[in-house]
Amino acid sequence: MRVTVSVLKADVGGFVGHSNMHPRLVEIARESLDAAKIDGKIIDYYVAYCGDDLNLIVTHTKGEDSPEIHKLAWDVFLRCTEAAKKLKLYGAGQDLLSDAFSGNLKGMGPGYAEMELEERKSEPIIIFMADKTSPGAWNLPLYKIFADPFNTPGLVIDPSMHDGFVFEVMDVVDNKVALLSTPEESYDLLVLIGASSRYMVRSVYRKSDGAIAAKASVQRLNFMAGRYVGKDDPVLVVRCQSGFPAVGEVLEAFAFPHLVEGWMRGSHNGPLMPVAFEDATPARFDGPPRVIAAGFQLSDGQLIGPVDLFRDRSFDYTRVKALEITDYMRRHGPFEPHRLHLEEMEYTTLPDVLKKLGSRFKDAED
Ligand code: 13P
Ligand code: 13P
Ligand code: MG
Ligand code: MG
């Protein structure tokens, strides 16, 4: 059976500030998606949230970029925004850049990752959802999962994965994509995706048969709006087992809390901390950045789950390490590399300061 898994997300208002989700918004999303399920528009749904980001997980048979599914999500986000405005939640409708829906969520503000797949005899998938970061945050774990044998022994010992995987990389500045094949083009791939604010992995395919293995949301709100309107907190869908990395190989890539951009005012680097659903509540310095992992078994498109995979104690050390790194990074105060490079910052006073100081800058002598 061919099924499409669509994960559509938006920040429709934070509670309190940018820290958490108001239960009323979750209720509204559930009511709307329940009605769509009863109408037969979708097969199943699950409403998740990470920090102040609302994630609609929807299964259906309408394929990727379906105007009907995107409109459904858009209407849910609008309804939630209305409620958020009444409650005066923070940044209500923050990610909705337009008033009029034009057939597709592309360029509209919300982020999405969609995967049409032929459902296998058993189809375990993991949906990762993050807050206070950007889609470039997936580059390092995706490389580890699909190209690093020290993370994924299946690349070495499982004949069905031994040929490797193909990465689709997007240049979000020039709006171009390229396919790179691993292991043979690993070094070329790394020189690109190591620059994770510009080059982002959008999809991963199994080389032997071209089967889809992972899809990420790569919308960049700040570029789309021509000015900064909020960090594009990302989502990622990964297929697991039987010719794909095992669930544990996929999760293993998150045992290292790597530095990602998007913390405090969208202008700081911090460690990506894997947490249980109930702990996806960034607080200290609006962070540190969080990621949750929802595991599902698909069964004729039904979402059997979720299992809250990072709730497990095997991630306790990672969390402690992330908190140590939080402390270390915070002590840099307004200095790089805690603060982002100038071009990547949401907020800057630099032009005003330079204007004010203008005449005081003299030519430097040799
Ligand atoms: P089982 O033997 O429990 O199916 O596990 C296989 C596997 O790959 C675990 O990593
Ligand atoms: P969000 O992108 O999650 O809304 O966070 C914005 C911010 O600047 C938090 O400090
Ligand atoms: Mg917000
Ligand atoms: Mg957010």
Side-chain angles (χ1 to χ4, degrees), residues 246-302:
V247 166
E249 289 170 331
V250 175
L251 297 178
E252 175 65 11
F254 291 86
F256 166 58
H258 67 298
L259 292 175
V260 298
E261 59 179 47
W263 190 7
M264 181 48 82
R265 297 174 185 272
S267 306
H268 292 79
N269 283 309
L272 187 64
M273 182 161 79
V275 292
F277 295 173
E278 64 188 17
D279 294 327
T281 53
R284 183 175 176 189
F285 201 58
D286 284 357
R290 305 292 152 112
V291 58
I292 58 171
F296 294 95
Q297 291 286 156
L298 287 182
S299 174
D300 298 327
Q302 301 287 331

Side-chain angles (χ1 to χ4, degrees), residues 74 78 93-102 104 106-110:
W74 180 255
L78 279 186
Q94 170 179 299
D95 285 357
L96 309 190
L97 303 182
S98 165
D99 295 331
F101 183 76
S102 57
N104 191 291
K106 196 173 266 169
M108 303 290 291

